Amino acid sequence: MRIGIIGGTGPAGRALAVRLASVGFDTVVGSRSPERAEEICRGLRAEWPDRGLALSGEANAAAAACDVVVLATPWDAAATTAAAVAAELAGKVVISMVNALAKMGREFQPLASSRGSIAAAVQAAAPQALVSGALHHVPAHDLGDLDNPVDCDVLVCSDHPEATATTMDVVGRLPGVRALDAGALSYAGPIEAFTAVLLQLNVAHQTRVGVRLTGLGPEGG
């Protein structure tokens, strides 16, 4: 499976790229600047020289042409970026990991979206895509540290059963991660907003907080 990450040069995008490549996915880091994307990939390969990482840097349109696509842009560019490559995204599973947050003084605050969530805005911008929301709560540092498992649960929501199943399969291959079906895409709003709480805990306790839910089996059953 070839996975493209649109907006993959930011901290979350490149951390996800190196983790996906480490478990055998052919991963394309997309950017408005393909030169910048390839520079990021060279750096990741140099950082982990013994991993044989299948990473390449391309323009966002090339990332959108992959089998599965992850959206990792800044929140205010997510819908417009998805709209620009909507033709390439048609019929594909598109995973939105974008959170709309703002730092107000010493507090992180979630920002309201007219669609209820960034994931829903992406679905509206690319209506033929099979959009899911996932990976909102995974610390980028932990995701990019290939020497250690991630150790968190990932909530997956979508209106498309195929998108839920594919996203859970991809996410479930990451060491230490348990993927959980969190229901319809309408739940993306509170899932995205909860990221602000986790970031606030990180600041208060000088740590990196992940999410683990009790009362569920190893596979979420």
Side-chain angles (χ1 to χ4, degrees):
M1 182 187 292
R2 200 161 190 243
I3 300 180
I5 304 178
I6 296 177
T9 58
R14 62 176 178 258
L16 178 62
V18 73
R19 184 66 77 163
L20 289 172
S22 76
V23 295
F25 290 110
D26 184 359
T27 307
V28 176
V29 174
S31 173
R32 288 177 296 177
S33 168
E35 295 79 13
R36 171 63 175 158
E38 184 52 41
E39 179 186 350
I40 291 292
C41 291
R42 284 196 301 269
L44 292 171
R45 290 191 294 267
E47 184 178 357
W48 306 98
D50 301 326
R51 300 282 180 154
L53 300 174
L55 285 168
S56 60
E58 302 283 354
N60 279 332
C66 292
D67 303 313
V68 172
V69 180
V70 179
L71 198 65
T73 64
W75 70 268
D76 53 354
T80 54
T81 302
V85 291
E88 290 87 345
L89 299 180
K92 294 181 181 177
V93 173
V94 177
I95 305 169
S96 172
M97 63 183 300
V98 182
N99 298 303
L101 303 172
K103 186 83 179 293
M104 307 292 287
R106 300 183 62 183
E107 295 183 353
F108 290 93
Q109 296 185 3
L111 301 177
S113 167
S114 61
R115 294 281 180 177
S117 68
I118 298 300
V122 170
Q123 182 67 87
Q128 300 303 312
L130 310 178
V131 175
S132 68
L135 296 163
H136 300 97
H137 303 150
V138 185
H141 179 278
D142 294 358
L143 197 58
D145 179 8
L146 301 186
D147 286 335
N148 294 290
V150 179
D151 188 25
C152 74
D153 291 336
V154 169
L155 303 177
V156 178
C157 58
S158 178
D159 292 335
H160 307 283
E162 179 184 342
T164 299
T166 298
T167 303
M168 292 182 68
D169 176 57
V170 169
V171 170
R173 298 193 200 186
L174 307 183
V177 171
R178 181 178 61 169
L180 299 173
D181 183 350
L185 198 64
S186 59
Y187 291 106
I191 290 172
E192 292 173 12
F194 189 65
T195 307
V197 178
L198 302 182
L199 290 174
Q200 202 63 39
L201 288 169
N202 288 344
V203 171
H205 299 279
Q206 297 297 295
T207 187
R208 292 183 297 274
V209 176
V211 171
R212 280 292 190 196
L213 301 178
T214 63
L216 299 169
E219 304 301 323

